[in-house]
Amino acid sequence: MQVYDRVIPGRSIPTLAGLAIIAATLYAFQGLLELVRSMLLVRIGLSVDERFGETVHSSLVLLPSRMQVSGDGLQSVRDMDTVRGFLSGPGPTALFDIPWMPFYLGLCFFFHVWIGWTALAGALMLVGLTILAEQKSREPAKEAAKIASERTALAEATHRNSEAVLAMGFGHHLGRKWHEINHRYLSNHLRSSNVIGTLGTLSKILRMMLQSAVLAVGAVLVIRQEASGGIMIASSILVSRALAPVELAIGQWKGFAAARNSWSRLLQLSQLMPSSEREVSLPAPTVGLKVENLHLAAPGSKNPILRGISFELRAGDAVGVIGPSASGKSSLARSLVGIWQPLAGAVRLDGAMLSQWDPVALGEHIGYLPQDVSLFGGSIAENIARFDPEASSEKIIAAAKAAGVYDMIVQFPDGFDTKIGEQGSTLSGGQRQRIALARALYGNPFLVVLDEPNSNLDAEGEAALTRAVSGIRARGGIAIVIAHRPSALAGVDLVLILANGQAQAFGPKDEVLKKVTAPPVAAPTPVRLMVSGEGVAQ
């Protein structure tokens, strides 16, 4: 306005220089404020990690034991990244600029009422497009997250089982499944992109048309001498500045919808995660384990796997759990260490239910060797010490010796510092199992649960396993060994037999196994009669 209404008519260079200095100063402040705003947005994005980081990591451990987790189980990690990425990007900038629209429109009315009404009509149309973008993008964004999770889960499963896929040649079958999921993912992505792209293009065209319309209205007003040339140009620029955030918001609406859905899931996750704080810390267990009328189902299911299981163990006891496949042995192991929660009944350590313990404190008193052994990328020492940064060499070596793997470990060139790769990929199955046994024995836990601990062991490994179980009993701990092979029961004194989810027998090993393996009653010797004439011969 000043350039067109003062500088040009008055041919005043000093006025132009003064305006240039004022404009440069204002632009410098604008740039500084935008820099500060962008830096604040980055830090706000980082605050999402600070707020949800611990919850998300805890959910990776706890949620699979509480409910059925779809996909690869990493949706919460992607949700946190999505929210952080959106808050650190240009999306919030548009949302922060939109509230200034009434101020800009008020200036348009200040210039002239017809310029104001023209700008207001265009603004209403753009806001309508924004609302339409919200309605059209909500469901595709939710569906996109679901399909993306399925797609990632299949990709990771294929990579994890690549050897079996390659050896048995069913990669092309998985390829068809991948193509089907990927087709749905791309179709959903295309549909949502088309919606946002179409609305974004319409908003851009509308904004340019509106800018020209305001220029035309201003020209009419200049012709009618109701406005100056400066007002005509300034109002056109001002309308473009007022409506640019709406256009930007429509273009960023897909990211906004995804971030909103991710934020909602993170809030739900926070409510699902149990509080780990305990007002009273229970002492270390030293007396015994008691299972009371345990009914157990898989997470998210109401169909019981175990029904009415009850038994009691004292310090120094070792029990072997045997039974046919699908009898509930591994499920019982998960319940005993607190992974799965009972439908009814209770598991108690020294009289206290497992849920009364602080999870971290409880873990120090439990050793667990799962049926599917899994190690972490790092050194042998780190895996044995459960990645405790304050673990002492004495405790690591003691656990290795208790598991009978000390001699095996020192045979490696780097000994305990040997890097084993992701999931222990550089080790054999038996080596992984024996190192996992040492991890279970680290810190001399009171309760040690071993699920099929000899599935990959040779004779030397089985002998070491027997010595480890005997060592647990000797120091006053409790050992529970789940096995199919009788050799794993050499060190136990009790046996629990499961079948169809129920306890069939429990007691001293010799008595129970004697009943199970008692020879069947011999059938009577068949009698054959031979008839010859009038005589009968046997």
Side-chain angles (χ1 to χ4, degrees), residues 1 45 56 201-202 206 215 220 240 244 246 282-283 286 307 322-323 329 336 342 344 362 384 403 408 430 438 513 528:
M1 287 178 61
V56 166
T201 301
L202 288 176
L206 181 60
L215 189 63
V220 172
S240 175
V246 181
L282 298 177
T286 58
R307 298 181 296 277
I322 60 176
K329 300 187 299 298
L336 295 177
L362 178 63
I384 292 177
M408 181 192 80
L513 293 182
R528 183 178 181 185

Side-chain angles (χ1 to χ4, degrees), residues 157-176:
T158 303
H159 174 71
R160 187 170 57 251
N161 300 288
S162 59
E163 292 182 358
V165 173
L166 183 62
M168 293 182 283
F170 59 94
H172 60 291
H173 297 310
L174 291 177
R176 282 196 291 267

Side-chain angles (χ1 to χ4, degrees), residues 96-108:
F96 293 153
D97 287 346
I98 286 177
W100 287 94
M101 283 182 60
F103 175 75
Y104 292 131
L105 294 177
L107 289 179
C108 291

Side-chain angles (χ1 to χ4, degrees), residues 143-167:
E143 186 67 18
K146 179 181 177 181
I147 299 175
S149 180
E150 295 180 20
R151 182 171 175 262
T152 304
L154 178 60
E156 291 190 352
T158 303
H159 174 71
R160 187 170 57 251
N161 300 288
S162 59
E163 292 182 358
V165 173
L166 183 62

Side-chain angles (χ1 to χ4, degrees), residues 433-461:
Q433 196 160 40
R434 297 183 68 181
I435 290 175
L437 175 61
R439 179 179 63 185
L441 300 178
Y442 174 77
N444 292 330
F446 177 69
L447 174 63
V448 179
V449 180
L450 309 176
D451 191 357
E452 296 289 346
N454 62 337
S455 58
N456 294 308
L457 300 184
D458 54 15
E460 179 185 351

Side-chain angles (χ1 to χ4, degrees), residues 59-75 149 269 272 297-303 305 331 334 339-341:
S59 71
L60 300 178
V61 178
L62 293 177
L63 275 193
S65 65
R66 301 291 190 270
M67 58 189 296
Q68 291 287 348
V69 179
S70 60
D72 60 351
L74 300 179
Q75 184 60 49
S149 180
L269 181 65
L272 285 175
S301 172
K302 296 298 183 182
N303 298 321
I305 299 173
S331 299
R334 296 186 183 102
I339 298 176
W340 286 6
Q341 303 302 308

Side-chain angles (χ1 to χ4, degrees), residues 15-229:
T15 302
L16 182 62
L19 290 174
I21 293 173
I22 293 174
T25 303
L26 293 176
Y27 286 139
F29 272 101
Q30 180 184 6
L32 178 62
L33 291 174
E34 288 188 355
L35 176 61
V36 171
R37 180 168 65 177
S38 65
M39 295 173 66
L40 285 174
L41 287 174
V42 170
R43 282 156 179 78
I44 291 173
L46 295 178
S47 71
V48 175
D49 280 73
E50 296 176 358
R51 175 174 177 179
F52 293 106
E54 184 176 351
T55 300
V56 166
H57 183 265
S58 298
S59 71
L60 300 178
V61 178
L62 293 177
L63 275 193
S65 65
R66 301 291 190 270
M67 58 189 296
Q68 291 287 348
V69 179
S70 60
D72 60 351
L74 300 179
Q75 184 60 49
S76 58
V77 178
R78 287 190 287 271
D79 286 337
M80 189 166 60
D81 292 339
T82 298
V83 175
R84 183 183 62 248
F86 175 77
L87 291 177
S88 303
T93 302
L95 299 179
F96 293 153
D97 287 346
I98 286 177
W100 287 94
M101 283 182 60
F103 175 75
Y104 292 131
L105 294 177
L107 289 179
C108 291
F109 276 99
F110 178 77
F111 289 159
H112 195 279
V113 65
W114 287 114
I115 294 177
W117 282 115
T118 304
L120 180 60
L124 292 176
M125 286 187 285
L126 281 179
V127 170
L129 288 178
T130 305
I131 296 174
L132 187 60
E134 153 68 9
Q135 294 176 344
K136 295 295 185 180
S137 63
R138 182 187 294 267
E139 290 304 321
K142 291 182 179 180
E143 186 67 18
K146 179 181 177 181
I147 299 175
S149 180
E150 295 180 20
R151 182 171 175 262
T152 304
L154 178 60
E156 291 190 352
T158 303
H159 174 71
R160 187 170 57 251
N161 300 288
S162 59
E163 292 182 358
V165 173
L166 183 62
M168 293 182 283
F170 59 94
H172 60 291
H173 297 310
L174 291 177
R176 282 196 291 267
K177 185 175 182 180
W178 167 265
H179 177 75
E180 186 270 331
I181 295 177
N182 200 48
H183 177 71
R184 287 194 290 123
Y185 174 79
L186 294 177
S187 297
N188 180 274
H189 177 74
L190 180 62
R191 184 170 65 254
S192 59
S193 298
N194 286 341
V195 170
I196 299 300
T198 301
L199 295 177
T201 301
L202 288 176
S203 66
K204 183 176 181 179
I205 294 174
L206 181 60
R207 183 174 64 84
M208 291 188 297
M209 291 178 63
L210 182 61
Q211 188 174 357
S212 298
V214 169
L215 189 63
V217 171
V220 172
L221 295 176
V222 170
I223 292 174
R224 298 174 60 178
Q225 297 184 349
E226 297 182 22
S228 65

